[in-house]
Amino acid sequence: MIRVVLIDDHEMIVQSVVRLLRDGPEIVVVGTALNATKGIEVSRLEQPDVIIIDYTLPDMDAPRAIRTLRSVCPGAKVITFSGSERPGALYESMRAGSSAWVTCEQEVQRGSLRPERSRIFEVPYFE
């Protein structure tokens, strides 16, 4: 069983991703949070295998949160989920310890994200 924590500040996104992941027989969502601080606490308590985190959160930037998550859950893979076009965002997440960067196809359709960024980027873990 793959244990997942989801951190995103949009309740509708959280609910949608939880429903999507619930369809996977090997996946169980063990916690959700609407900000990084709560997400870090939930992750520390639940020790998930995977943490999905939105790049843009109200209380801290994702790279800072990812560094903290990697220290409290060293065995977890962190996936950054975002449509951010902010220059350097992908690389900041990589350096912080994100294992992948997932962009939203909806962002491409709305024109707020370039089509070539609408895929999953696997990134190496940097110490």
mmCIF file with all atom_site columns, all heavy atoms in Angstrom, residues 1 5 9 15 23 42 44 51 63 65-67 81-82 86 91 97 101 103 121:
data_model
loop_
_atom_site.group_PDB
_atom_site.id
_atom_site.type_symbol
_atom_site.label_atom_id
_atom_site.label_alt_id
_atom_site.label_comp_id
_atom_site.label_asym_id
_atom_site.label_entity_id
_atom_site.label_seq_id
_atom_site.pdbx_PDB_ins_code
_atom_site.Cartn_x
_atom_site.Cartn_y
_atom_site.Cartn_z
_atom_site.occupancy
_atom_site.B_iso_or_equiv
_atom_site.pdbx_formal_charge
_atom_site.auth_seq_id
_atom_site.auth_comp_id
_atom_site.auth_asym_id
_atom_site.auth_atom_id
_atom_site.pdbx_PDB_model_num
ATOM 1   N N   . MET A 1 1   ? 0.838   -1.183 0.000   1.00 0.00 ? 1   MET A N   1
ATOM 2   C CA  . MET A 1 1   ? 0.000   0.000  0.000   1.00 0.00 ? 1   MET A CA  1
ATOM 3   C C   . MET A 1 1   ? 0.882   1.245  0.000   1.00 0.00 ? 1   MET A C   1
ATOM 4   O O   . MET A 1 1   ? 1.786   1.359  0.824   1.00 0.00 ? 1   MET A O   1
ATOM 5   C CB  . MET A 1 1   ? -0.890  -0.021 1.240   1.00 0.00 ? 1   MET A CB  1
ATOM 6   C CG  . MET A 1 1   ? -2.047  0.930  1.210   1.00 0.00 ? 1   MET A CG  1
ATOM 7   S SD  . MET A 1 1   ? -3.264  0.711  -0.096  1.00 0.00 ? 1   MET A SD  1
ATOM 8   C CE  . MET A 1 1   ? -4.043  -0.799 0.351   1.00 0.00 ? 1   MET A CE  1
ATOM 9   N N   . VAL A 1 5   ? 0.242   11.795 1.374   1.00 0.00 ? 5   VAL A N   1
ATOM 10  C CA  . VAL A 1 5   ? -0.253  13.031 1.983   1.00 0.00 ? 5   VAL A CA  1
ATOM 11  C C   . VAL A 1 5   ? -0.302  14.067 0.873   1.00 0.00 ? 5   VAL A C   1
ATOM 12  O O   . VAL A 1 5   ? 0.624   14.177 0.064   1.00 0.00 ? 5   VAL A O   1
ATOM 13  C CB  . VAL A 1 5   ? 0.654   13.519 3.142   1.00 0.00 ? 5   VAL A CB  1
ATOM 14  C CG1 . VAL A 1 5   ? 0.329   14.956 3.532   1.00 0.00 ? 5   VAL A CG1 1
ATOM 15  C CG2 . VAL A 1 5   ? 0.501   12.614 4.351   1.00 0.00 ? 5   VAL A CG2 1
ATOM 16  N N   . ASP A 1 9   ? -3.523  24.394 -1.215  1.00 0.00 ? 9   ASP A N   1
ATOM 17  C CA  . ASP A 1 9   ? -4.368  25.395 -0.566  1.00 0.00 ? 9   ASP A CA  1
ATOM 18  C C   . ASP A 1 9   ? -5.734  25.568 -1.220  1.00 0.00 ? 9   ASP A C   1
ATOM 19  O O   . ASP A 1 9   ? -6.514  26.409 -0.794  1.00 0.00 ? 9   ASP A O   1
ATOM 20  C CB  . ASP A 1 9   ? -3.657  26.751 -0.472  1.00 0.00 ? 9   ASP A CB  1
ATOM 21  C CG  . ASP A 1 9   ? -3.284  27.325 -1.822  1.00 0.00 ? 9   ASP A CG  1
ATOM 22  O OD1 . ASP A 1 9   ? -3.035  26.543 -2.760  1.00 0.00 ? 9   ASP A OD1 1
ATOM 23  O OD2 . ASP A 1 9   ? -3.210  28.560 -1.934  1.00 0.00 ? 9   ASP A OD2 1
ATOM 24  N N   . GLN A 1 15  ? -9.840  17.742 -2.952  1.00 0.00 ? 15  GLN A N   1
ATOM 25  C CA  . GLN A 1 15  ? -10.917 16.760 -3.096  1.00 0.00 ? 15  GLN A CA  1
ATOM 26  C C   . GLN A 1 15  ? -10.813 15.998 -4.410  1.00 0.00 ? 15  GLN A C   1
ATOM 27  O O   . GLN A 1 15  ? -11.013 14.779 -4.447  1.00 0.00 ? 15  GLN A O   1
ATOM 28  C CB  . GLN A 1 15  ? -12.271 17.444 -2.981  1.00 0.00 ? 15  GLN A CB  1
ATOM 29  C CG  . GLN A 1 15  ? -12.575 17.957 -1.601  1.00 0.00 ? 15  GLN A CG  1
ATOM 30  C CD  . GLN A 1 15  ? -13.861 18.775 -1.553  1.00 0.00 ? 15  GLN A CD  1
ATOM 31  O OE1 . GLN A 1 15  ? -14.619 18.835 -2.511  1.00 0.00 ? 15  GLN A OE1 1
ATOM 32  N NE2 . GLN A 1 15  ? -14.090 19.421 -0.419  1.00 0.00 ? 15  GLN A NE2 1
ATOM 33  N N   . ASP A 1 23  ? -9.106  5.763  -6.608  1.00 0.00 ? 23  ASP A N   1
ATOM 34  C CA  . ASP A 1 23  ? -9.365  4.729  -7.613  1.00 0.00 ? 23  ASP A CA  1
ATOM 35  C C   . ASP A 1 23  ? -8.212  3.730  -7.738  1.00 0.00 ? 23  ASP A C   1
ATOM 36  O O   . ASP A 1 23  ? -8.390  2.650  -8.279  1.00 0.00 ? 23  ASP A O   1
ATOM 37  C CB  . ASP A 1 23  ? -9.642  5.362  -8.980  1.00 0.00 ? 23  ASP A CB  1
ATOM 38  C CG  . ASP A 1 23  ? -10.963 6.105  -9.006  1.00 0.00 ? 23  ASP A CG  1
ATOM 39  O OD1 . ASP A 1 23  ? -11.826 5.843  -8.134  1.00 0.00 ? 23  ASP A OD1 1
ATOM 40  O OD2 . ASP A 1 23  ? -11.139 6.961  -9.896  1.00 0.00 ? 23  ASP A OD2 1
ATOM 41  N N   . VAL A 1 42  ? 1.092   16.872 9.507   1.00 0.00 ? 42  VAL A N   1
ATOM 42  C CA  . VAL A 1 42  ? 0.407   15.639 9.097   1.00 0.00 ? 42  VAL A CA  1
ATOM 43  C C   . VAL A 1 42  ? 1.428   14.622 8.586   1.00 0.00 ? 42  VAL A C   1
ATOM 44  O O   . VAL A 1 42  ? 1.372   13.434 8.925   1.00 0.00 ? 42  VAL A O   1
ATOM 45  C CB  . VAL A 1 42  ? -0.670  15.935 8.022   1.00 0.00 ? 42  VAL A CB  1
ATOM 46  C CG1 . VAL A 1 42  ? -1.188  14.653 7.390   1.00 0.00 ? 42  VAL A CG1 1
ATOM 47  C CG2 . VAL A 1 42  ? -1.810  16.738 8.612   1.00 0.00 ? 42  VAL A CG2 1
ATOM 48  N N   . ARG A 1 44  ? 4.655   14.436 9.309   1.00 0.00 ? 44  ARG A N   1
ATOM 49  C CA  . ARG A 1 44  ? 5.469   13.950 10.429  1.00 0.00 ? 44  ARG A CA  1
ATOM 50  C C   . ARG A 1 44  ? 4.734   12.844 11.188  1.00 0.00 ? 44  ARG A C   1
ATOM 51  O O   . ARG A 1 44  ? 5.317   11.816 11.534  1.00 0.00 ? 44  ARG A O   1
ATOM 52  C CB  . ARG A 1 44  ? 5.806   15.101 11.377  1.00 0.00 ? 44  ARG A CB  1
ATOM 53  C CG  . ARG A 1 44  ? 6.763   14.694 12.496  1.00 0.00 ? 44  ARG A CG  1
ATOM 54  C CD  . ARG A 1 44  ? 6.987   15.827 13.483  1.00 0.00 ? 44  ARG A CD  1
ATOM 55  N NE  . ARG A 1 44  ? 5.765   16.198 14.193  1.00 0.00 ? 44  ARG A NE  1
ATOM 56  C CZ  . ARG A 1 44  ? 5.205   15.489 15.172  1.00 0.00 ? 44  ARG A CZ  1
ATOM 57  N NH1 . ARG A 1 44  ? 5.726   14.346 15.553  1.00 0.00 ? 44  ARG A NH1 1
ATOM 58  N NH2 . ARG A 1 44  ? 4.101   15.905 15.770  1.00 0.00 ? 44  ARG A NH2 1
ATOM 59  N N   . ILE A 1 51  ? 4.531   12.442 -0.783  1.00 0.00 ? 51  ILE A N   1
ATOM 60  C CA  . ILE A 1 51  ? 3.918   13.710 -0.401  1.00 0.00 ? 51  ILE A CA  1
ATOM 61  C C   . ILE A 1 51  ? 3.749   14.523 -1.675  1.00 0.00 ? 51  ILE A C   1
ATOM 62  O O   . ILE A 1 51  ? 4.726   14.768 -2.392  1.00 0.00 ? 51  ILE A O   1
ATOM 63  C CB  . ILE A 1 51  ? 4.791   14.487 0.603   1.00 0.00 ? 51  ILE A CB  1
ATOM 64  C CG1 . ILE A 1 51  ? 5.033   13.649 1.860   1.00 0.00 ? 51  ILE A CG1 1
ATOM 65  C CG2 . ILE A 1 51  ? 4.144   15.839 0.935   1.00 0.00 ? 51  ILE A CG2 1
ATOM 66  C CD1 . ILE A 1 51  ? 6.159   14.172 2.738   1.00 0.00 ? 51  ILE A CD1 1
ATOM 67  N N   . PRO A 1 63  ? 9.808   25.240 -1.832  1.00 0.00 ? 63  PRO A N   1
ATOM 68  C CA  . PRO A 1 63  ? 11.152  24.729 -1.547  1.00 0.00 ? 63  PRO A CA  1
ATOM 69  C C   . PRO A 1 63  ? 11.469  24.682 -0.043  1.00 0.00 ? 63  PRO A C   1
ATOM 70  O O   . PRO A 1 63  ? 12.037  23.698 0.433   1.00 0.00 ? 63  PRO A O   1
ATOM 71  C CB  . PRO A 1 63  ? 12.070  25.710 -2.285  1.00 0.00 ? 63  PRO A CB  1
ATOM 72  C CG  . PRO A 1 63  ? 11.241  26.153 -3.444  1.00 0.00 ? 63  PRO A CG  1
ATOM 73  C CD  . PRO A 1 63  ? 9.849   26.281 -2.867  1.00 0.00 ? 63  PRO A CD  1
ATOM 74  N N   . ALA A 1 65  ? 9.246   24.375 2.389   1.00 0.00 ? 65  ALA A N   1
ATOM 75  C CA  . ALA A 1 65  ? 8.426   23.284 2.922   1.00 0.00 ? 65  ALA A CA  1
ATOM 76  C C   . ALA A 1 65  ? 9.014   21.925 2.555   1.00 0.00 ? 65  ALA A C   1
ATOM 77  O O   . ALA A 1 65  ? 9.046   21.014 3.389   1.00 0.00 ? 65  ALA A O   1
ATOM 78  C CB  . ALA A 1 65  ? 6.993   23.400 2.404   1.00 0.00 ? 65  ALA A CB  1
ATOM 79  N N   . ILE A 1 66  ? 9.498   21.784 1.334   1.00 0.00 ? 66  ILE A N   1
ATOM 80  C CA  . ILE A 1 66  ? 10.070  20.516 0.876   1.00 0.00 ? 66  ILE A CA  1
ATOM 81  C C   . ILE A 1 66  ? 11.306  20.161 1.700   1.00 0.00 ? 66  ILE A C   1
ATOM 82  O O   . ILE A 1 66  ? 11.483  19.007 2.111   1.00 0.00 ? 66  ILE A O   1
ATOM 83  C CB  . ILE A 1 66  ? 10.391  20.560 -0.635  1.00 0.00 ? 66  ILE A CB  1
ATOM 84  C CG1 . ILE A 1 66  ? 9.090   20.623 -1.446  1.00 0.00 ? 66  ILE A CG1 1
ATOM 85  C CG2 . ILE A 1 66  ? 11.246  19.363 -1.054  1.00 0.00 ? 66  ILE A CG2 1
ATOM 86  C CD1 . ILE A 1 66  ? 9.294   20.996 -2.906  1.00 0.00 ? 66  ILE A CD1 1
ATOM 87  N N   . ARG A 1 67  ? 12.160  21.137 1.960   1.00 0.00 ? 67  ARG A N   1
ATOM 88  C CA  . ARG A 1 67  ? 13.344  20.859 2.791   1.00 0.00 ? 67  ARG A CA  1
ATOM 89  C C   . ARG A 1 67  ? 12.931  20.348 4.174   1.00 0.00 ? 67  ARG A C   1
ATOM 90  O O   . ARG A 1 67  ? 13.506  19.394 4.690   1.00 0.00 ? 67  ARG A O   1
ATOM 91  C CB  . ARG A 1 67  ? 14.221  22.114 2.904   1.00 0.00 ? 67  ARG A CB  1
ATOM 92  C CG  . ARG A 1 67  ? 15.090  22.345 1.679   1.00 0.00 ? 67  ARG A CG  1
ATOM 93  C CD  . ARG A 1 67  ? 16.107  23.455 1.907   1.00 0.00 ? 67  ARG A CD  1
ATOM 94  N NE  . ARG A 1 67  ? 15.507  24.774 1.865   1.00 0.00 ? 67  ARG A NE  1
ATOM 95  C CZ  . ARG A 1 67  ? 15.188  25.437 0.753   1.00 0.00 ? 67  ARG A CZ  1
ATOM 96  N NH1 . ARG A 1 67  ? 15.410  24.881 -0.415  1.00 0.00 ? 67  ARG A NH1 1
ATOM 97  N NH2 . ARG A 1 67  ? 14.658  26.631 0.816   1.00 0.00 ? 67  ARG A NH2 1
ATOM 98  N N   . PHE A 1 81  ? 3.398   19.748 -7.331  1.00 0.00 ? 81  PHE A N   1
ATOM 99  C CA  . PHE A 1 81  ? 2.237   19.806 -8.219  1.00 0.00 ? 81  PHE A CA  1
ATOM 100 C C   . PHE A 1 81  ? 1.928   21.274 -8.460  1.00 0.00 ? 81  PHE A C   1
ATOM 101 O O   . PHE A 1 81  ? 1.585   21.988 -7.515  1.00 0.00 ? 81  PHE A O   1
ATOM 102 C CB  . PHE A 1 81  ? 1.075   19.107 -7.520  1.00 0.00 ? 81  PHE A CB  1
ATOM 103 C CG  . PHE A 1 81  ? -0.184  19.024 -8.317  1.00 0.00 ? 81  PHE A CG  1
ATOM 104 C CD1 . PHE A 1 81  ? -0.272  18.191 -9.420  1.00 0.00 ? 81  PHE A CD1 1
ATOM 105 C CD2 . PHE A 1 81  ? -1.293  19.759 -7.948  1.00 0.00 ? 81  PHE A CD2 1
ATOM 106 C CE1 . PHE A 1 81  ? -1.446  18.086 -10.137 1.00 0.00 ? 81  PHE A CE1 1
ATOM 107 C CE2 . PHE A 1 81  ? -2.471  19.672 -8.667  1.00 0.00 ? 81  PHE A CE2 1
ATOM 108 C CZ  . PHE A 1 81  ? -2.547  18.833 -9.768  1.00 0.00 ? 81  PHE A CZ  1
ATOM 109 N N   . SER A 1 82  ? 2.098   21.741 -9.705  1.00 0.00 ? 82  SER A N   1
ATOM 110 C CA  . SER A 1 82  ? 1.902   23.166 -9.918  1.00 0.00 ? 82  SER A CA  1
ATOM 111 C C   . SER A 1 82  ? 1.775   23.536 -11.371 1.00 0.00 ? 82  SER A C   1
ATOM 112 O O   . SER A 1 82  ? 2.216   22.823 -12.251 1.00 0.00 ? 82  SER A O   1
ATOM 113 C CB  . SER A 1 82  ? 3.075   23.935 -9.321  1.00 0.00 ? 82  SER A CB  1
ATOM 114 O OG  . SER A 1 82  ? 2.870   25.317 -9.441  1.00 0.00 ? 82  SER A OG  1
ATOM 115 N N   . ARG A 1 86  ? 6.733   30.706 -12.583 1.00 0.00 ? 86  ARG A N   1
ATOM 116 C CA  . ARG A 1 86  ? 7.762   31.527 -11.954 1.00 0.00 ? 86  ARG A CA  1
ATOM 117 C C   . ARG A 1 86  ? 9.133   31.035 -12.380 1.00 0.00 ? 86  ARG A C   1
ATOM 118 O O   . ARG A 1 86  ? 9.445   29.846 -12.243 1.00 0.00 ? 86  ARG A O   1
ATOM 119 C CB  . ARG A 1 86  ? 7.620   31.453 -10.442 1.00 0.00 ? 86  ARG A CB  1
ATOM 120 C CG  . ARG A 1 86  ? 8.463   32.471 -9.744  1.00 0.00 ? 86  ARG A CG  1
ATOM 121 C CD  . ARG A 1 86  ? 8.162   32.480 -8.247  1.00 0.00 ? 86  ARG A CD  1
ATOM 122 N NE  . ARG A 1 86  ? 9.445   32.651 -7.604  1.00 0.00 ? 86  ARG A NE  1
ATOM 123 C CZ  . ARG A 1 86  ? 10.083  31.724 -6.928  1.00 0.00 ? 86  ARG A CZ  1
ATOM 124 N NH1 . ARG A 1 86  ? 9.531   30.560 -6.726  1.00 0.00 ? 86  ARG A NH1 1
ATOM 125 N NH2 . ARG A 1 86  ? 11.256  31.955 -6.412  1.00 0.00 ? 86  ARG A NH2 1
ATOM 126 N N   . TYR A 1 91  ? 13.573  24.331 -10.643 1.00 0.00 ? 91  TYR A N   1
ATOM 127 C CA  . TYR A 1 91  ? 14.909  24.049 -10.133 1.00 0.00 ? 91  TYR A CA  1
ATOM 128 C C   . TYR A 1 91  ? 15.016  24.270 -8.630  1.00 0.00 ? 91  TYR A C   1
ATOM 129 O O   . TYR A 1 91  ? 15.728  23.549 -7.942  1.00 0.00 ? 91  TYR A O   1
ATOM 130 C CB  . TYR A 1 91  ? 15.946  24.868 -10.904 1.00 0.00 ? 91  TYR A CB  1
ATOM 131 C CG  . TYR A 1 91  ? 15.889  24.519 -12.363 1.00 0.00 ? 91  TYR A CG  1
ATOM 132 C CD1 . TYR A 1 91  ? 15.337  25.388 -13.283 1.00 0.00 ? 91  TYR A CD1 1
ATOM 133 C CD2 . TYR A 1 91  ? 16.314  23.266 -12.818 1.00 0.00 ? 91  TYR A CD2 1
ATOM 134 C CE1 . TYR A 1 91  ? 15.232  25.041 -14.620 1.00 0.00 ? 91  TYR A CE1 1
ATOM 135 C CE2 . TYR A 1 91  ? 16.215  22.904 -14.141 1.00 0.00 ? 91  TYR A CE2 1
ATOM 136 C CZ  . TYR A 1 91  ? 15.679  23.802 -15.039 1.00 0.00 ? 91  TYR A CZ  1
ATOM 137 O OH  . TYR A 1 91  ? 15.563  23.443 -16.350 1.00 0.00 ? 91  TYR A OH  1
ATOM 138 N N   . GLY A 1 97  ? 14.685  18.992 -2.904  1.00 0.00 ? 97  GLY A N   1
ATOM 139 C CA  . GLY A 1 97  ? 14.491  17.557 -2.709  1.00 0.00 ? 97  GLY A CA  1
ATOM 140 C C   . GLY A 1 97  ? 13.252  16.975 -3.346  1.00 0.00 ? 97  GLY A C   1
ATOM 141 O O   . GLY A 1 97  ? 12.874  15.845 -3.053  1.00 0.00 ? 97  GLY A O   1
ATOM 142 N N   . TRP A 1 101 ? 8.075   16.931 -10.767 1.00 0.00 ? 101 TRP A N   1
ATOM 143 C CA  . TRP A 1 101 ? 7.321   18.170 -10.941 1.00 0.00 ? 101 TRP A CA  1
ATOM 144 C C   . TRP A 1 101 ? 6.172   17.835 -11.882 1.00 0.00 ? 101 TRP A C   1
ATOM 145 O O   . TRP A 1 101 ? 6.392   17.378 -12.996 1.00 0.00 ? 101 TRP A O   1
ATOM 146 C CB  . TRP A 1 101 ? 8.221   19.230 -11.567 1.00 0.00 ? 101 TRP A CB  1
ATOM 147 C CG  . TRP A 1 101 ? 7.580   20.523 -11.899 1.00 0.00 ? 101 TRP A CG  1
ATOM 148 C CD1 . TRP A 1 101 ? 6.891   20.816 -13.037 1.00 0.00 ? 101 TRP A CD1 1
ATOM 149 C CD2 . TRP A 1 101 ? 7.574   21.719 -11.109 1.00 0.00 ? 101 TRP A CD2 1
ATOM 150 N NE1 . TRP A 1 101 ? 6.458   22.114 -13.014 1.00 0.00 ? 101 TRP A NE1 1
ATOM 151 C CE2 . TRP A 1 101 ? 6.870   22.695 -11.837 1.00 0.00 ? 101 TRP A CE2 1
ATOM 152 C CE3 . TRP A 1 101 ? 8.096   22.054 -9.865  1.00 0.00 ? 101 TRP A CE3 1
ATOM 153 C CZ2 . TRP A 1 101 ? 6.675   23.977 -11.367 1.00 0.00 ? 101 TRP A CZ2 1
ATOM 154 C CZ3 . TRP A 1 101 ? 7.898   23.338 -9.405  1.00 0.00 ? 101 TRP A CZ3 1
ATOM 155 C CH2 . TRP A 1 101 ? 7.197   24.273 -10.140 1.00 0.00 ? 101 TRP A CH2 1
ATOM 156 N N   . THR A 1 103 ? 2.784   19.281 -13.818 1.00 0.00 ? 103 THR A N   1
ATOM 157 C CA  . THR A 1 103 ? 2.031   20.476 -14.190 1.00 0.00 ? 103 THR A CA  1
ATOM 158 C C   . THR A 1 103 ? 0.611   20.092 -14.555 1.00 0.00 ? 103 THR A C   1
ATOM 159 O O   . THR A 1 103 ? 0.315   18.938 -14.854 1.00 0.00 ? 103 THR A O   1
ATOM 160 C CB  . THR A 1 103 ? 2.683   21.207 -15.373 1.00 0.00 ? 103 THR A CB  1
ATOM 161 O OG1 . THR A 1 103 ? 2.740   20.327 -16.486 1.00 0.00 ? 103 THR A OG1 1
ATOM 162 C CG2 . THR A 1 103 ? 4.075   21.671 -15.018 1.00 0.00 ? 103 THR A CG2 1
ATOM 163 N N   . PHE A 1 121 ? 8.015   15.944 -14.863 1.00 0.00 ? 121 PHE A N   1
ATOM 164 C CA  . PHE A 1 121 ? 9.465   15.965 -14.911 1.00 0.00 ? 121 PHE A CA  1
ATOM 165 C C   . PHE A 1 121 ? 9.983   15.164 -13.728 1.00 0.00 ? 121 PHE A C   1
ATOM 166 O O   . PHE A 1 121 ? 9.663   15.460 -12.594 1.00 0.00 ? 121 PHE A O   1
ATOM 167 C CB  . PHE A 1 121 ? 9.998   17.407 -14.784 1.00 0.00 ? 121 PHE A CB  1
ATOM 168 C CG  . PHE A 1 121 ? 9.672   18.280 -15.948 1.00 0.00 ? 121 PHE A CG  1
ATOM 169 C CD1 . PHE A 1 121 ? 8.583   19.123 -15.908 1.00 0.00 ? 121 PHE A CD1 1
ATOM 170 C CD2 . PHE A 1 121 ? 10.468  18.255 -17.078 1.00 0.00 ? 121 PHE A CD2 1
ATOM 171 C CE1 . PHE A 1 121 ? 8.285   19.936 -16.978 1.00 0.00 ? 121 PHE A CE1 1
ATOM 172 C CE2 . PHE A 1 121 ? 10.164  19.064 -18.155 1.00 0.00 ? 121 PHE A CE2 1
ATOM 173 C CZ  . PHE A 1 121 ? 9.078   19.905 -18.107 1.00 0.00 ? 121 PHE A CZ  1
#
